[in-house]
Amino acid sequence: MSTSAASRTYLDHAATTPVRPEVAEQVAADLREGLGGWANPAAQHASGRRVGAMLARARARLAAALDVDPHEVLFTSGGTEADALVVTGRTLAARDAGVRAPRVVTSPLEHPAVLDSARTAAARLGGEHVEVGVDGAGLVDPASLRAAVTAGPGTALVSIMAANNETGVVQDMAGLVETVREASGARRPADSGYVPVHSDAVAALGKTPVDFRAWGLDAMTVTGHKLGAPIGIGAFVARRDLVLVTPTGGGRQERGVRSGSQDVVGARALALAVELAVAERAEESGRLEALRRRVLEGATALPGVHATLPEGSRSVAHVPSTAHLWFEDGDTEALLMALDMAGIDVSAGSACHAGVTQPSHVLLSMGFDEGPARATLRCSMGRGTSADDVERLLAALPAALESARRAWKASRRVTHDPKKGNRNSQRQSAASKRRVICR
């Protein structure tokens, strides 16, 4: 029996969250009224100047919400494009500056937008992609980062996401940037050997404090659809002195980095969504953290279900809206299908790999074996999530887990062996398999 949208429990806000009513009303008015006159914001006539002024105001509002300069804000179609423009733009800029093999340093936990862009830059532009080590919670190892930066001249960029989009772990960005500055010996862009640092803050903004200036970043990525704006609008912050070379031609909009007629309606929607999310973050954090704890407590009370982030470790910062789990000897697709049939919308991880059955690269990098890395559940909550939503998930989970385990046993034609669920042995056996270059 199908379940209507109205009766469903949506717990996949980390993938995308519903458009906020205030934002929807603004977008509808902008489209209905044509922003006071349909025109390209780059046009020189009166209508164009009017729309151009509205774009400038949206840029200023977003900059104010992020506490940056308006000239540092560049609009894009979303976080993926922004990440790609920064990684590719820095690789090309380093090549233009005479670096034969520009190095892009990342963690192995990054969003595919960063990892795939770094690998493509290495393969097609003669660069090098280096992944640093992380610990069992997914926190970047400063010593590994230092080694990667000092491995030789030519580091074009370091890119570390502020909060992981799967597990929700939050990095010490200020500390990591300081590690890069100490390792390179250069603290100002004009200094020889200076290494720019970028952070994908898509999963962090609106959920945990984000401070471009205090962290000492050179570039930062944000997007709208995680915060209540429509899909299709994002931005990145880039210091004025950060040199980026665009991989494409065009009209040279957005400081010459991202060509194309700007989406003024989307820019205004993004500015409003960020303003609202930042303003309510502190109040929402406490409510969401209580819901997260309830999910983890209820789920881990079931046999063979574990919290991904270390239990009892208060020193591991995390976003309050994501509860990430892994379970023993189960089939993820069967689990998700059973929950879906029960009217529960959750995911196994990043929606960017939807339809592709593979172990989580995030958990593999954290030291998990392939079995647990394939058997994960991400419950992510948002503004509209209630305590009843969480209870519906917990009520549906036992039967869903039974279905997942039956599917797992049938696929392997073996009897369940409880020893395979031992977390320590699973993580230790995977240590030698981690896709990490610098340790």
Side-chain angles (χ1 to χ4, degrees), residues 212-415:
F212 182 82
R213 293 271 179 256
W215 290 351
L217 293 174
D218 299 276
M220 181 176 76
T221 297
V222 300
T223 197
H225 71 103
K226 313 286 188 178
L227 301 168
I231 291 175
I233 185 67
F236 68 95
V237 180
R239 287 175 48 149
R240 292 193 191 198
D241 47 18
L242 179 67
V243 179
L244 296 169
V245 173
T246 179
T248 63
R252 310 292 293 171
Q253 287 91 345
E254 301 301 309
R255 274 173 46 187
V257 176
R258 201 260 182 175
S259 297
S261 299
Q262 292 104 325
D263 178 3
V264 183
V265 174
R268 282 169 44 79
L270 176 61
L272 178 56
V274 172
E275 286 174 340
L276 295 171
V278 170
E280 71 182 20
R281 181 195 60 78
E283 182 178 351
E284 270 289 275
S285 291
R287 187 183 72 85
L288 292 172
E289 180 61 37
L291 295 177
R292 176 183 181 273
R293 285 197 301 269
R294 175 59 186 141
V295 171
L296 294 180
E297 290 170 0
T300 57
L302 300 173
V305 180
H306 308 271
T308 300
L309 296 183
E311 287 295 310
S313 177
R314 299 298 181 186
S315 62
V316 179
H318 56 268
V319 297
S321 55
T322 297
H324 197 273
L325 303 158
W326 67 274
F327 50 97
E328 299 169 17
D329 299 342
D331 183 278
T332 296
E333 290 185 353
L335 177 68
L336 295 179
M337 183 177 296
L339 289 173
D340 189 29
M341 294 296 291
I344 312 292
D345 295 327
V346 288
S347 68
S350 174
C352 294
H353 287 306
V356 180
T357 302
Q358 59 183 9
S360 165
H361 74 281
V362 172
L363 266 65
L364 288 177
S365 298
M366 290 166 60
F368 284 85
D369 201 358
E370 184 172 323
R374 285 185 180 274
T376 63
L377 190 67
R378 181 184 69 180
C379 307
S380 52
M381 296 157 285
R383 252 183 358 110
T385 306
S386 67
D388 287 343
D389 292 327
V390 169
E391 295 307 321
R392 280 192 286 271
L393 166 69
L394 295 176
L397 195 54
L401 280 168
E402 278 301 309
S403 296
R405 286 174 175 142
R406 284 198 301 269
W408 185 86
K409 290 177 182 178
S411 67
R412 286 156 180 78
R413 299 181 184 278
V414 296
T415 302

